[in-house]
Short mmCIF file of all heavy atoms in Angstrom, two decimals:
data_model
loop_
_atom_site.label_atom_id
_atom_site.label_comp_id
_atom_site.label_asym_id
_atom_site.label_seq_id
_atom_site.Cartn_x
_atom_site.Cartn_y
_atom_site.Cartn_z
N MET A 23 -10.14 115.56 135.06
CA MET A 23 -10.14 114.69 136.23
C MET A 23 -9.54 113.35 135.81
O MET A 23 -9.93 112.78 134.80
CB MET A 23 -11.57 114.54 136.74
CG MET A 23 -11.76 113.54 137.83
SD MET A 23 -11.28 113.96 139.51
CE MET A 23 -12.31 115.29 139.96
N LEU A 24 -8.63 112.85 136.60
CA LEU A 24 -8.02 111.55 136.34
C LEU A 24 -9.02 110.43 136.55
O LEU A 24 -9.93 110.53 137.38
CB LEU A 24 -6.82 111.34 137.25
CG LEU A 24 -5.62 112.26 137.04
CD1 LEU A 24 -4.57 111.98 138.11
CD2 LEU A 24 -5.04 112.06 135.67
N LYS A 25 -8.85 109.36 135.84
CA LYS A 25 -9.72 108.20 136.00
C LYS A 25 -9.53 107.55 137.36
O LYS A 25 -10.47 107.08 137.98
CB LYS A 25 -9.44 107.20 134.88
CG LYS A 25 -10.44 106.08 134.83
CD LYS A 25 -10.31 105.31 133.54
CE LYS A 25 -11.52 104.42 133.38
NZ LYS A 25 -11.76 104.05 132.01
N LEU A 26 -8.26 107.54 137.85
CA LEU A 26 -7.97 106.97 139.15
C LEU A 26 -8.24 108.02 140.23
O LEU A 26 -7.69 109.12 140.19
CB LEU A 26 -6.50 106.54 139.22
CG LEU A 26 -6.03 105.94 140.54
CD1 LEU A 26 -6.76 104.63 140.82
CD2 LEU A 26 -4.53 105.72 140.51
N ALA A 27 -9.10 107.68 141.16
CA ALA A 27 -9.41 108.60 142.27
C ALA A 27 -8.21 108.70 143.21
O ALA A 27 -7.32 107.83 143.20
CB ALA A 27 -10.62 108.10 143.03
N LYS A 28 -8.21 109.75 144.01
CA LYS A 28 -7.14 109.92 145.00
C LYS A 28 -7.14 108.71 145.93
O LYS A 28 -8.20 108.25 146.37
CB LYS A 28 -7.37 111.20 145.80
CG LYS A 28 -6.26 111.49 146.77
CD LYS A 28 -6.49 112.79 147.52
CE LYS A 28 -5.37 112.97 148.53
NZ LYS A 28 -5.61 114.11 149.40
N LEU A 29 -5.95 108.21 146.20
CA LEU A 29 -5.83 107.03 147.08
C LEU A 29 -6.28 107.38 148.49
O LEU A 29 -6.02 108.49 148.98
CB LEU A 29 -4.38 106.55 147.12
CG LEU A 29 -3.83 105.99 145.81
CD1 LEU A 29 -2.35 105.66 145.97
CD2 LEU A 29 -4.60 104.77 145.36
N PRO A 30 -6.93 106.43 149.17
CA PRO A 30 -7.33 106.67 150.56
C PRO A 30 -6.12 106.66 151.48
O PRO A 30 -5.03 106.23 151.08
CB PRO A 30 -8.26 105.48 150.87
CG PRO A 30 -7.79 104.41 149.94
CD PRO A 30 -7.30 105.10 148.70
N ASP A 31 -6.31 107.12 152.70
CA ASP A 31 -5.23 107.09 153.69
C ASP A 31 -4.80 105.65 153.89
O ASP A 31 -5.61 104.78 154.19
CB ASP A 31 -5.74 107.70 155.00
CG ASP A 31 -4.67 107.78 156.07
OD1 ASP A 31 -3.50 107.43 155.80
OD2 ASP A 31 -4.99 108.21 157.18
N ARG A 32 -3.53 105.38 153.71
CA ARG A 32 -2.99 104.03 153.85
C ARG A 32 -1.98 103.96 154.98
O ARG A 32 -1.15 103.05 155.03
CB ARG A 32 -2.35 103.58 152.54
CG ARG A 32 -3.37 103.45 151.42
CD ARG A 32 -2.74 103.14 150.09
NE ARG A 32 -2.00 104.34 149.66
CZ ARG A 32 -0.91 104.30 148.92
NH1 ARG A 32 -0.41 103.18 148.51
NH2 ARG A 32 -0.30 105.42 148.57
N THR A 33 -2.05 104.90 155.91
CA THR A 33 -1.14 104.90 157.06
C THR A 33 -1.46 103.71 157.95
O THR A 33 -2.60 103.57 158.41
CB THR A 33 -1.30 106.21 157.87
OG1 THR A 33 -1.11 107.32 157.00
CG2 THR A 33 -0.31 106.26 159.01
N PRO A 34 -0.50 102.83 158.20
CA PRO A 34 -0.78 101.67 159.05
C PRO A 34 -1.12 102.10 160.48
O PRO A 34 -0.55 103.08 160.99
CB PRO A 34 0.52 100.87 159.04
CG PRO A 34 1.40 101.50 158.05
CD PRO A 34 0.86 102.85 157.73
N ILE A 35 -2.03 101.40 161.08
CA ILE A 35 -2.43 101.64 162.46
C ILE A 35 -2.16 100.36 163.24
O ILE A 35 -2.65 99.29 162.88
CB ILE A 35 -3.92 102.02 162.57
CG1 ILE A 35 -4.16 103.31 161.79
CG2 ILE A 35 -4.33 102.17 164.03
CD1 ILE A 35 -5.61 103.67 161.65
N LYS A 36 -1.37 100.47 164.30
CA LYS A 36 -1.04 99.30 165.11
C LYS A 36 -2.15 99.05 166.13
O LYS A 36 -2.59 99.95 166.83
CB LYS A 36 0.29 99.51 165.83
CG LYS A 36 0.74 98.30 166.60
CD LYS A 36 2.13 98.48 167.16
CE LYS A 36 2.53 97.20 167.87
NZ LYS A 36 3.93 97.21 168.22
N ILE A 37 -2.58 97.80 166.18
CA ILE A 37 -3.62 97.38 167.12
C ILE A 37 -3.06 96.21 167.93
O ILE A 37 -2.52 95.26 167.36
CB ILE A 37 -4.90 96.93 166.39
CG1 ILE A 37 -5.51 98.10 165.62
CG2 ILE A 37 -5.91 96.35 167.38
CD1 ILE A 37 -6.70 97.72 164.78
N THR A 38 -3.19 96.28 169.23
CA THR A 38 -2.77 95.18 170.10
C THR A 38 -3.98 94.29 170.34
O THR A 38 -5.06 94.77 170.64
CB THR A 38 -2.23 95.72 171.43
OG1 THR A 38 -1.14 96.59 171.15
CG2 THR A 38 -1.77 94.60 172.34
N LEU A 39 -3.78 92.99 170.21
CA LEU A 39 -4.87 92.04 170.31
C LEU A 39 -4.49 90.93 171.28
O LEU A 39 -3.40 90.37 171.20
CB LEU A 39 -5.14 91.45 168.92
CG LEU A 39 -6.21 90.40 168.79
CD1 LEU A 39 -7.57 91.01 169.05
CD2 LEU A 39 -6.16 89.80 167.39
N THR A 40 -5.39 90.61 172.18
CA THR A 40 -5.20 89.49 173.09
C THR A 40 -6.18 88.40 172.69
O THR A 40 -7.36 88.66 172.48
CB THR A 40 -5.49 89.93 174.55
OG1 THR A 40 -4.63 91.03 174.87
CG2 THR A 40 -5.25 88.79 175.52
N VAL A 41 -5.67 87.17 172.54
CA VAL A 41 -6.51 86.05 172.12
C VAL A 41 -6.38 84.91 173.12
O VAL A 41 -5.46 84.87 173.93
CB VAL A 41 -6.12 85.56 170.70
CG1 VAL A 41 -6.33 86.66 169.67
CG2 VAL A 41 -4.71 85.05 170.65
N THR A 42 -7.31 83.97 173.01
CA THR A 42 -7.27 82.79 173.88
C THR A 42 -6.12 81.87 173.43
O THR A 42 -5.69 81.93 172.27
CB THR A 42 -8.58 82.01 173.80
OG1 THR A 42 -8.75 81.53 172.46
CG2 THR A 42 -9.77 82.87 174.22
N PRO A 43 -5.66 81.00 174.32
CA PRO A 43 -4.61 80.05 173.92
C PRO A 43 -5.03 79.18 172.73
O PRO A 43 -4.21 78.91 171.85
CB PRO A 43 -4.38 79.21 175.18
CG PRO A 43 -4.78 80.11 176.30
CD PRO A 43 -5.92 80.92 175.77
N ASP A 44 -6.29 78.75 172.70
CA ASP A 44 -6.76 77.92 171.58
C ASP A 44 -6.68 78.68 170.26
O ASP A 44 -6.25 78.12 169.25
CB ASP A 44 -8.20 77.45 171.81
CG ASP A 44 -8.31 76.37 172.87
OD1 ASP A 44 -7.27 75.76 173.21
OD2 ASP A 44 -9.43 76.14 173.34
N LEU A 45 -7.09 79.94 170.27
CA LEU A 45 -7.03 80.73 169.04
C LEU A 45 -5.58 80.98 168.64
O LEU A 45 -5.24 80.92 167.45
CB LEU A 45 -7.78 82.06 169.22
CG LEU A 45 -7.79 82.98 168.00
CD1 LEU A 45 -8.33 82.28 166.76
CD2 LEU A 45 -8.60 84.24 168.30
N ALA A 46 -4.71 81.22 169.61
CA ALA A 46 -3.29 81.42 169.31
C ALA A 46 -2.70 80.18 168.63
O ALA A 46 -1.95 80.30 167.65
CB ALA A 46 -2.52 81.77 170.58
N ARG A 47 -3.05 79.01 169.13
CA ARG A 47 -2.57 77.77 168.51
C ARG A 47 -3.13 77.61 167.09
O ARG A 47 -2.40 77.24 166.16
CB ARG A 47 -2.93 76.56 169.36
CG ARG A 47 -2.02 76.38 170.57
CD ARG A 47 -2.27 75.05 171.27
NE ARG A 47 -3.58 75.00 171.92
CZ ARG A 47 -3.86 75.49 173.13
NH1 ARG A 47 -2.90 76.07 173.85
NH2 ARG A 47 -5.06 75.40 173.64
N ALA A 48 -4.41 77.90 166.93
CA ALA A 48 -5.04 77.79 165.61
C ALA A 48 -4.39 78.76 164.62
O ALA A 48 -4.12 78.40 163.47
CB ALA A 48 -6.54 78.04 165.70
N LEU A 49 -4.13 79.98 165.06
CA LEU A 49 -3.47 80.96 164.19
C LEU A 49 -2.05 80.53 163.84
O LEU A 49 -1.60 80.70 162.71
CB LEU A 49 -3.47 82.34 164.84
CG LEU A 49 -4.84 83.02 164.94
CD1 LEU A 49 -4.74 84.25 165.83
CD2 LEU A 49 -5.38 83.39 163.57
N GLY A 50 -1.36 79.96 164.82
CA GLY A 50 -0.02 79.44 164.56
C GLY A 50 -0.05 78.31 163.55
O GLY A 50 0.77 78.25 162.63
N ASP A 51 -1.02 77.40 163.71
CA ASP A 51 -1.17 76.29 162.77
C ASP A 51 -1.51 76.82 161.37
O ASP A 51 -0.99 76.33 160.37
CB ASP A 51 -2.26 75.32 163.23
CG ASP A 51 -1.86 74.52 164.46
OD1 ASP A 51 -0.66 74.50 164.79
OD2 ASP A 51 -2.76 73.93 165.07
N TYR A 52 -2.39 77.82 161.31
CA TYR A 52 -2.76 78.40 160.02
C TYR A 52 -1.53 78.98 159.33
O TYR A 52 -1.33 78.79 158.13
CB TYR A 52 -3.83 79.48 160.20
CG TYR A 52 -4.45 79.90 158.89
CD1 TYR A 52 -5.63 79.34 158.44
CD2 TYR A 52 -3.83 80.85 158.07
CE1 TYR A 52 -6.20 79.70 157.23
CE2 TYR A 52 -4.39 81.22 156.86
CZ TYR A 52 -5.57 80.65 156.45
OH TYR A 52 -6.11 81.01 155.25
N THR A 53 -0.70 79.67 160.10
CA THR A 53 0.51 80.27 159.54
C THR A 53 1.43 79.19 158.98
O THR A 53 1.97 79.33 157.88
CB THR A 53 1.24 81.10 160.62
OG1 THR A 53 0.34 82.10 161.11
CG2 THR A 53 2.48 81.76 160.08
N ILE A 54 1.60 78.11 159.71
CA ILE A 54 2.44 77.00 159.24
C ILE A 54 1.88 76.41 157.95
O ILE A 54 2.62 76.19 156.98
CB ILE A 54 2.57 75.91 160.33
CG1 ILE A 54 3.39 76.44 161.51
CG2 ILE A 54 3.16 74.63 159.77
CD1 ILE A 54 3.30 75.58 162.76
N ILE A 55 0.58 76.16 157.93
CA ILE A 55 -0.05 75.57 156.75
C ILE A 55 0.00 76.54 155.56
O ILE A 55 0.24 76.13 154.42
CB ILE A 55 -1.49 75.13 157.07
CG1 ILE A 55 -1.46 74.00 158.11
CG2 ILE A 55 -2.25 74.73 155.81
CD1 ILE A 55 -2.80 73.70 158.75
N TYR A 56 -0.20 77.82 155.82
CA TYR A 56 -0.10 78.84 154.77
C TYR A 56 1.31 78.81 154.15
O TYR A 56 1.45 78.78 152.93
CB TYR A 56 -0.40 80.23 155.34
CG TYR A 56 -0.21 81.33 154.33
CD1 TYR A 56 -1.27 81.77 153.55
CD2 TYR A 56 1.03 81.94 154.14
CE1 TYR A 56 -1.11 82.78 152.62
CE2 TYR A 56 1.21 82.94 153.22
CZ TYR A 56 0.14 83.36 152.45
OH TYR A 56 0.32 84.36 151.53
N ASN A 57 2.32 78.84 155.00
CA ASN A 57 3.70 78.84 154.51
C ASN A 57 4.02 77.58 153.73
O ASN A 57 4.69 77.64 152.69
CB ASN A 57 4.67 79.02 155.67
CG ASN A 57 4.66 80.43 156.22
OD1 ASN A 57 4.38 81.38 155.51
ND2 ASN A 57 4.95 80.58 157.50
N ARG A 58 3.54 76.45 154.21
CA ARG A 58 3.76 75.18 153.50
C ARG A 58 3.03 75.18 152.15
O ARG A 58 3.57 74.73 151.15
CB ARG A 58 3.26 74.03 154.37
CG ARG A 58 3.62 72.66 153.84
CD ARG A 58 3.14 71.55 154.75
NE ARG A 58 3.62 71.72 156.12
CZ ARG A 58 2.89 71.47 157.22
NH1 ARG A 58 1.66 71.01 157.10
NH2 ARG A 58 3.39 71.65 158.41
N SER A 59 1.81 75.71 152.14
CA SER A 59 1.00 75.71 150.91
C SER A 59 1.57 76.61 149.83
O SER A 59 1.51 76.28 148.65
CB SER A 59 -0.43 76.15 151.23
OG SER A 59 -1.05 75.23 152.09
N TYR A 60 2.11 77.75 150.25
CA TYR A 60 2.57 78.74 149.27
C TYR A 60 4.09 78.84 149.18
O TYR A 60 4.60 79.65 148.40
CB TYR A 60 1.98 80.12 149.59
CG TYR A 60 0.48 80.14 149.39
CD1 TYR A 60 -0.38 80.14 150.48
CD2 TYR A 60 -0.07 80.14 148.12
CE1 TYR A 60 -1.75 80.15 150.31
CE2 TYR A 60 -1.44 80.14 147.93
CZ TYR A 60 -2.27 80.16 149.04
OH TYR A 60 -3.63 80.16 148.84
N GLY A 61 4.80 78.04 149.97
CA GLY A 61 6.24 78.08 149.92
C GLY A 61 6.81 79.42 150.33
O GLY A 61 7.82 79.86 149.79
N GLU A 62 6.15 80.08 151.26
CA GLU A 62 6.57 81.39 151.72
C GLU A 62 6.95 81.34 153.19
O GLU A 62 6.76 80.32 153.86
CB GLU A 62 5.45 82.42 151.52
CG GLU A 62 5.11 82.65 150.06
CD GLU A 62 4.09 83.75 149.88
OE1 GLU A 62 3.78 84.46 150.86
OE2 GLU A 62 3.61 83.89 148.75
N LYS A 63 7.46 82.43 153.70
CA LYS A 63 7.80 82.54 155.11
C LYS A 63 7.10 83.77 155.69
O LYS A 63 7.72 84.72 156.12
CB LYS A 63 9.33 82.65 155.27
CG LYS A 63 9.80 82.59 156.70
CD LYS A 63 9.39 81.31 157.39
CE LYS A 63 9.82 81.34 158.85
NZ LYS A 63 8.98 80.54 159.70
N ALA A 64 5.76 83.73 155.66
CA ALA A 64 4.97 84.81 156.24
C ALA A 64 4.86 84.61 157.75
O ALA A 64 4.83 83.48 158.23
CB ALA A 64 3.58 84.84 155.61
N GLU A 65 4.82 85.69 158.47
CA GLU A 65 4.60 85.65 159.91
C GLU A 65 3.11 85.81 160.18
O GLU A 65 2.36 86.33 159.35
CB GLU A 65 5.36 86.78 160.59
CG GLU A 65 6.88 86.72 160.41
CD GLU A 65 7.49 85.52 161.09
OE1 GLU A 65 6.99 85.10 162.14
OE2 GLU A 65 8.49 85.00 160.55
N MET A 66 2.68 85.37 161.36
CA MET A 66 1.28 85.49 161.74
C MET A 66 0.81 86.94 161.61
O MET A 66 -0.29 87.21 161.11
CB MET A 66 1.07 84.99 163.18
CG MET A 66 -0.38 84.96 163.59
SD MET A 66 -0.62 84.56 165.35
CE MET A 66 0.29 83.06 165.55
N ALA A 67 1.65 87.88 162.03
CA ALA A 67 1.30 89.30 161.96
C ALA A 67 1.09 89.76 160.52
O ALA A 67 0.35 90.72 160.28
CB ALA A 67 2.37 90.15 162.64
N ASP A 68 1.73 89.09 159.56
CA ASP A 68 1.52 89.42 158.15
C ASP A 68 0.17 88.92 157.66
O ASP A 68 -0.44 89.53 156.78
CB ASP A 68 2.61 88.78 157.27
CG ASP A 68 4.01 89.25 157.64
OD1 ASP A 68 4.18 90.43 157.98
OD2 ASP A 68 4.93 88.41 157.60
N LEU A 69 -0.28 87.80 158.20
CA LEU A 69 -1.52 87.18 157.74
C LEU A 69 -2.77 87.75 158.39
O LEU A 69 -3.83 87.81 157.77
CB LEU A 69 -1.47 85.67 158.01
CG LEU A 69 -0.35 84.91 157.31
CD1 LEU A 69 -0.41 83.44 157.69
CD2 LEU A 69 -0.43 85.08 155.80
N LEU A 70 -2.66 88.19 159.63
CA LEU A 70 -3.85 88.64 160.36
C LEU A 70 -4.62 89.76 159.67
O LEU A 70 -5.86 89.68 159.58
CB LEU A 70 -3.49 89.04 161.79
CG LEU A 70 -3.24 87.86 162.73
CD1 LEU A 70 -2.68 88.34 164.06
CD2 LEU A 70 -4.53 87.08 162.95
N PRO A 71 -3.98 90.82 159.16
CA PRO A 71 -4.78 91.85 158.48
C PRO A 71 -5.55 91.31 157.28
O PRO A 71 -6.73 91.66 157.09
CB PRO A 71 -3.73 92.89 158.04
CG PRO A 71 -2.60 92.71 159.01
CD PRO A 71 -2.58 91.22 159.29
N ALA A 72 -4.94 90.44 156.51
CA ALA A 72 -5.63 89.85 155.35
C ALA A 72 -6.77 88.96 155.80
O ALA A 72 -7.83 88.93 155.16
CB ALA A 72 -4.64 89.08 154.48
N MET A 73 -6.57 88.21 156.88
CA MET A 73 -7.62 87.34 157.40
C MET A 73 -8.81 88.17 157.89
O MET A 73 -9.97 87.84 157.60
CB MET A 73 -7.08 86.46 158.53
CG MET A 73 -6.04 85.46 158.05
SD MET A 73 -5.15 84.66 159.40
CE MET A 73 -6.39 83.50 159.96
N LEU A 74 -8.53 89.23 158.62
CA LEU A 74 -9.61 90.09 159.11
C LEU A 74 -10.33 90.78 157.97
O LEU A 74 -11.57 90.88 157.97
CB LEU A 74 -9.06 91.13 160.09
CG LEU A 74 -8.60 90.58 161.43
CD1 LEU A 74 -7.85 91.65 162.22
CD2 LEU A 74 -9.79 90.06 162.23
N ASP A 75 -9.58 91.24 156.97
CA ASP A 75 -10.19 91.88 155.81
C ASP A 75 -11.10 90.91 155.07
O ASP A 75 -12.23 91.26 154.71
CB ASP A 75 -9.08 92.41 154.89
CG ASP A 75 -9.63 93.30 153.80
OD1 ASP A 75 -10.43 94.20 154.11
OD2 ASP A 75 -9.25 93.10 152.63
N ALA A 76 -10.64 89.67 154.88
CA ALA A 76 -11.45 88.66 154.20
C ALA A 76 -12.71 88.34 154.99
O ALA A 76 -13.80 88.18 154.43
CB ALA A 76 -10.64 87.40 153.96
N PHE A 77 -12.57 88.25 156.32
CA PHE A 77 -13.72 87.97 157.17
C PHE A 77 -14.76 89.08 157.04
O PHE A 77 -15.95 88.82 156.83
CB PHE A 77 -13.29 87.80 158.63
CG PHE A 77 -14.46 87.66 159.56
CD1 PHE A 77 -15.07 86.43 159.74
CD2 PHE A 77 -14.95 88.75 160.26
CE1 PHE A 77 -16.15 86.29 160.60
CE2 PHE A 77 -16.04 88.63 161.11
CZ PHE A 77 -16.64 87.39 161.28
N LEU A 78 -14.32 90.33 157.18
CA LEU A 78 -15.26 91.45 157.10
C LEU A 78 -15.91 91.55 155.71
O LEU A 78 -17.10 91.85 155.60
CB LEU A 78 -14.56 92.76 157.44
CG LEU A 78 -14.13 92.90 158.91
CD1 LEU A 78 -13.35 94.20 159.11
CD2 LEU A 78 -15.32 92.83 159.85
N ALA A 79 -15.13 91.28 154.66
CA ALA A 79 -15.66 91.35 153.31
C ALA A 79 -16.71 90.27 153.06
O ALA A 79 -17.61 90.45 152.23
CB ALA A 79 -14.53 91.21 152.29
N SER A 80 -16.64 89.16 153.78
CA SER A 80 -17.58 88.06 153.57
C SER A 80 -18.82 88.15 154.46
O SER A 80 -19.75 87.37 154.30
CB SER A 80 -16.89 86.72 153.82
OG SER A 80 -16.61 86.55 155.20
N ASP A 81 -18.86 89.11 155.37
CA ASP A 81 -19.99 89.25 156.30
C ASP A 81 -21.04 90.17 155.69
O ASP A 81 -20.94 91.40 155.76
CB ASP A 81 -19.50 89.79 157.65
CG ASP A 81 -20.56 89.76 158.72
OD1 ASP A 81 -21.76 89.93 158.40
OD2 ASP A 81 -20.20 89.57 159.89
N ARG A 82 -22.06 89.58 155.08
CA ARG A 82 -23.08 90.38 154.38
C ARG A 82 -23.89 91.25 155.32
O ARG A 82 -24.26 92.37 154.96
CB ARG A 82 -24.00 89.45 153.59
CG ARG A 82 -23.28 88.78 152.45
CD ARG A 82 -24.19 87.84 151.71
NE ARG A 82 -23.38 87.01 150.81
CZ ARG A 82 -23.76 86.68 149.61
NH1 ARG A 82 -24.91 87.07 149.14
NH2 ARG A 82 -22.97 85.94 148.86
N ALA A 83 -24.18 90.76 156.51
CA ALA A 83 -24.94 91.58 157.47
C ALA A 83 -24.14 92.82 157.87
O ALA A 83 -24.69 93.91 157.99
CB ALA A 83 -25.31 90.75 158.70
N PHE A 84 -22.85 92.65 158.05
CA PHE A 84 -21.98 93.78 158.38
C PHE A 84 -21.97 94.78 157.23
O PHE A 84 -22.11 95.99 157.44
CB PHE A 84 -20.56 93.28 158.67
CG PHE A 84 -19.55 94.37 158.79
CD1 PHE A 84 -19.56 95.24 159.87
CD2 PHE A 84 -18.57 94.55 157.82
CE1 PHE A 84 -18.63 96.27 159.98
CE2 PHE A 84 -17.64 95.55 157.91
CZ PHE A 84 -17.66 96.42 159.01
N ALA A 85 -21.81 94.30 156.00
CA ALA A 85 -21.77 95.18 154.82
C ALA A 85 -23.07 95.97 154.71
O ALA A 85 -23.05 97.17 154.44
CB ALA A 85 -21.51 94.38 153.56
N LYS A 86 -24.21 95.31 154.92
CA LYS A 86 -25.50 95.99 154.83
C LYS A 86 -25.64 97.04 155.92
O LYS A 86 -26.06 98.16 155.67
CB LYS A 86 -26.65 94.98 154.91
CG LYS A 86 -28.01 95.64 154.76
CD LYS A 86 -29.13 94.64 154.87
CE LYS A 86 -30.50 95.25 154.73
NZ LYS A 86 -30.70 96.58 155.24
N ALA A 87 -25.30 96.66 157.16
CA ALA A 87 -25.41 97.61 158.26
C ALA A 87 -24.50 98.82 158.03
O ALA A 87 -24.89 99.95 158.29
CB ALA A 87 -25.06 96.92 159.58
N ARG A 88 -23.32 98.57 157.52
CA ARG A 88 -22.38 99.66 157.26
C ARG A 88 -22.91 100.58 156.14
O ARG A 88 -22.82 101.79 156.24
CB ARG A 88 -21.03 99.08 156.88
CG ARG A 88 -19.91 100.07 157.02
CD ARG A 88 -18.59 99.37 156.86
NE ARG A 88 -17.51 100.25 157.24
CZ ARG A 88 -16.29 100.14 156.81
NH1 ARG A 88 -15.97 99.16 155.99
NH2 ARG A 88 -15.36 100.99 157.19
N LYS A 89 -23.47 99.96 155.11
CA LYS A 89 -24.05 100.73 154.01
C LYS A 89 -25.22 101.58 154.49
O LYS A 89 -25.42 102.70 154.03
CB LYS A 89 -24.51 99.77 152.91
CG LYS A 89 -25.08 100.47 151.70
CD LYS A 89 -25.52 99.49 150.65
CE LYS A 89 -26.18 100.23 149.50
NZ LYS A 89 -26.89 99.32 148.59
N ASP A 90 -25.99 101.03 155.43
CA ASP A 90 -27.14 101.75 155.98
C ASP A 90 -26.75 102.83 156.99
O ASP A 90 -27.61 103.42 157.61
CB ASP A 90 -28.12 100.76 156.62
CG ASP A 90 -28.78 99.83 155.60
OD1 ASP A 90 -28.72 100.14 154.38
OD2 ASP A 90 -29.34 98.80 156.01
N GLY A 91 -25.45 103.01 157.18
CA GLY A 91 -24.98 104.07 158.05
C GLY A 91 -24.86 103.72 159.51
O GLY A 91 -24.77 104.60 160.37
N GLU A 92 -24.84 102.43 159.82
CA GLU A 92 -24.76 102.02 161.22
C GLU A 92 -23.33 102.00 161.75
O GLU A 92 -23.12 101.84 162.94
CB GLU A 92 -25.40 100.63 161.39
CG GLU A 92 -26.89 100.63 161.14
CD GLU A 92 -27.51 99.27 161.32
OE1 GLU A 92 -27.04 98.49 162.19
OE2 GLU A 92 -28.47 98.97 160.61
N GLY A 93 -22.33 102.15 160.87
CA GLY A 93 -20.94 102.17 161.31
C GLY A 93 -20.56 103.53 161.85
O GLY A 93 -21.33 104.50 161.78
N GLY A 94 -19.37 103.62 162.40
CA GLY A 94 -18.93 104.88 162.98
C GLY A 94 -18.12 105.74 162.05
O GLY A 94 -17.77 106.86 162.37
N SER A 95 -17.80 105.23 160.83
CA SER A 95 -16.95 106.04 159.94
C SER A 95 -17.72 106.65 158.82
O SER A 95 -18.83 106.41 158.55
CB SER A 95 -15.82 105.18 159.37
OG SER A 95 -16.31 104.01 158.76
#
């Protein structure tokens, strides 16, 4: 058996999201500040998955509930 386990499904899934105007402005500002900070040209759509992943990873109540089998997957 290899030390590295089989990779999970990494097929991208497109999700359409509608946000408030205030959130859209904040996300736009975040993208500008991110690009300025790192000298990159990332688009908002590039940053959103990482932002959501970081948010979910930092939510301890979510992690506990998911571990306890309360999630759907």
